[in-house]
């Protein structure tokens, strides 16, 4: 295998497989990564543009035939509480909520560039960390987290009557992650959603999802899981699960983190001469 990597990529010093994360994708040009980056990446780099572009991401989610938030093409169509996501926003900074068209008009003066108007789904956020193994043709749930966001997660600490006078604008800046173990009866729905997203990933990009990916969801009081975002790579929400998670421990009977699960797949690929199935 060593010789395989050396012969294949003259840029490499030694045998290297990079594991791309969110910052890696946002700071390097996707065009460069797809065409000129001289090192193999674990996962399918051709899906990065699908997760980074809100229109493509919507197409992927819609094609998966899972429940997603309703979108509104025009502010005039708003008929329920919505969340307005400006395209340049990172980590939910610059998002705002609006109750109706008038409320949107009042709050949208600072909007520049594109934005998406999405139904505000009432419920709790849950972020599912999956791993798809092309070698075993199997979808695994590694762990689940929720983000700790400032200042939305502090609003419950202030009585509503006081909030009214404080002029607070909700923001969603991520400052940390909490581990979650979900209600067991939800697991069937979680795997169903994950499998549909994997199936659709093969339609939009030949190799489909490989290795770690995350579905960002809201679970409603009717226990419907509504997916609003995909990350086609490892996410920071897996960090609370070093060295292990209840789900990987239940499956493997030993400590397995997301990083170790990736290492296992690389090892399996090396021993079966199939590294091309797990890297791009
Ligand atoms: P990142 O790229 O880091 O995931 P982002 O800028 O894309 O961040 P989101 O993760 O899309 O931001 O959303 C930020 C916050 O907004 C999250 O707390 C999420 O729960 C909430 N949110 C997003 N979409 C909806 C929705 N349709 N209904 C309710 N809450 C939502």
């Amino acid at each position: 295998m060593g010789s395989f990597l050396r012969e294949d990529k003259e840029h490499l010093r030694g045998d290297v497989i990079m594991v791309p994360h969110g910052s890696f994708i946002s700071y390097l040009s996707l065009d460069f990564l797809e065409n000129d980056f001289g090192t193999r990446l674990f996962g399918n780099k051709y899906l990065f543009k699908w997760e980074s572009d809100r229109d493509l991401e919507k197409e992927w989610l819609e094609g998966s035939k899972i429940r997603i938030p309703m979108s509104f093409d025009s502010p005039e169509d708003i008929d329920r509480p919505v969340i307005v996501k400006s395209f340049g926003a990172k980590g939910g900074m610059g998002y705002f909520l609006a109750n109706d068209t008038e409320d949107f008009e009042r709050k949208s003066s600072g909007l520049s560039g594109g934005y998406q108007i999405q139904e505000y789904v009432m419920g709790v956020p849950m972020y599912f960390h999956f791993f798809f193994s092309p070698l075993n043709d199997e979808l695994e749930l590694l762990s689940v987290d929720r983000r700790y966001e400032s200042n939305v997660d502090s609003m419950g600490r202030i009585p509503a009557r006081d909030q009214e006078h404080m002029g607070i604008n909700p923001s969603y800046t991520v400052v940390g992650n909490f581990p979650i173990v979900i209600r067991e009866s939800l697991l069937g729905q979680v795997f169903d959603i994950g499998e549909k997203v994997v199936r659709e990933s093969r339609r939009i990009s030949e190799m489909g999802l490989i290795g770690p990916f995350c579905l960002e969801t809201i679970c409603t009081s009717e226990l419907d899981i509504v997916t609003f975002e995909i990350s086609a790579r490892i996410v920071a929400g897996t960090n609370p699960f070093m060295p292990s998670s209840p789900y990987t421990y239940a499956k493997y009977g030993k400590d397995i983190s997301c990083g170790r699960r990736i290492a296992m797949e690389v090892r399996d690929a090396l021993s079966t001469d199939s590294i091309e199935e797990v890297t791009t």
Side-chain angles (χ1 to χ4, degrees):
M1 142 66 203
S3 60
F4 167 80
L5 276 182
R6 267 192 295 274
E7 281 159 22
D8 189 49
K9 297 287 166 196
E10 57 190 16
H11 306 277
L12 285 177
R13 265 181 249 127
D15 297 334
V16 178
I17 295 175
M18 298 249 345
V19 179
H21 52 70
S23 304
F24 187 80
I25 295 169
S26 52
Y27 293 121
L28 290 176
S29 108
L30 295 182
D31 194 44
F32 168 73
L33 276 182
E34 281 192 15
N35 302 309
D36 299 312
F37 191 61
T39 303
R40 283 190 169 264
L41 296 181
F42 187 80
N44 182 352
K45 65 183 176 187
Y46 302 104
L47 286 171
F48 295 158
K49 66 169 173 280
W50 286 83
E51 61 141 81
S52 310
D53 178 303
R54 287 205 198 272
D55 291 329
L56 290 177
E57 182 182 53
K58 188 161 164 250
E59 195 182 321
W60 184 356
L61 287 170
E62 279 175 353
S64 303
K65 308 224 165 12
I66 55 177
R67 197 169 155 202
I68 60 176
M70 185 186 285
S71 323
F72 297 90
D73 292 334
S74 154
E76 272 74 52
D77 302 334
I78 297 173
D79 64 355
R80 65 196 69 202
V82 294
I83 180 164
V84 183
K85 304 180 171 186
S86 50
F87 285 170
K90 284 266 177 279
M93 240 191 258
Y95 286 11
F96 65 88
L97 307 182
N99 289 319
D100 50 35
T101 307
E102 277 174 20
D103 197 24
F104 174 91
E105 303 297 350
R106 253 197 316 277
K107 293 174 175 168
S108 59
S109 55
L111 269 184
S112 59
Y115 58 85
Q116 190 178 36
I117 306 176
Q118 225 173 54
E119 162 195 12
Y120 185 85
V121 182
M122 197 55 214
V124 290
M126 295 203 294
Y127 294 71
F128 295 100
H129 316 137
F130 291 99
F131 187 97
F132 182 74
S133 164
L135 304 179
N136 304 334
D137 192 24
E138 189 181 36
L139 180 68
E140 299 168 29
L141 178 67
L142 299 183
S143 46
V144 190
D145 84 298
R146 63 161 285 209
R147 292 175 179 175
Y148 200 29
E149 293 165 326
S150 190
N151 56 15
V152 274
D153 286 328
S154 65
M155 297 210 172
R157 297 157 60 99
I158 305 170
R161 65 165 188 277
D162 297 325
Q163 284 186 26
E164 264 187 59
H165 307 291
M166 291 170 76
I168 302 168
N169 287 319
S171 58
Y172 300 84
T173 308
V174 182
V175 294
N177 303 82
F178 297 107
I180 302 184
V181 174
I182 63 161
R183 184 178 172 146
E184 205 174 310
S185 58
L186 285 171
L187 280 172
Q189 194 185 156
V190 172
F191 274 98
D192 182 56
I193 293 170
E195 277 163 10
K196 287 176 171 160
V197 170
V198 171
R199 201 174 308 144
E200 182 64 9
S201 73
R202 297 206 186 114
R203 198 192 61 75
I204 60 179
S205 174
E206 199 185 339
M207 293 176 79
L209 278 163
I210 298 169
F213 70 100
C214 174
L215 296 182
E216 305 184 8
T217 74
I218 307 278
C219 185
T220 70
S221 52
E222 288 78 38
L223 301 185
D224 282 330
I225 297 175
V226 186
T227 306
F228 62 89
E229 197 159 310
I230 305 176
S231 299
R233 51 172 164 83
I234 193 169
V235 291
T238 57
N239 283 335
F241 302 99
M242 291 186 288
S244 199
S245 101
Y247 297 101
T248 55
Y249 193 81
K251 180 167 170 61
Y252 291 101
K254 58 181 179 184
D255 288 343
I256 303 288
S257 61
C258 185
R260 183 157 293 172
R261 183 62 191 86
I262 293 169
M264 284 164 62
E265 196 76 358
V266 171
R267 238 170 225 268
D268 284 354
L270 293 178
S271 64
T272 53
D273 209 12
S274 34
I275 201 72
E276 299 207 22
E277 285 185 41
V278 298
T279 59
T280 47

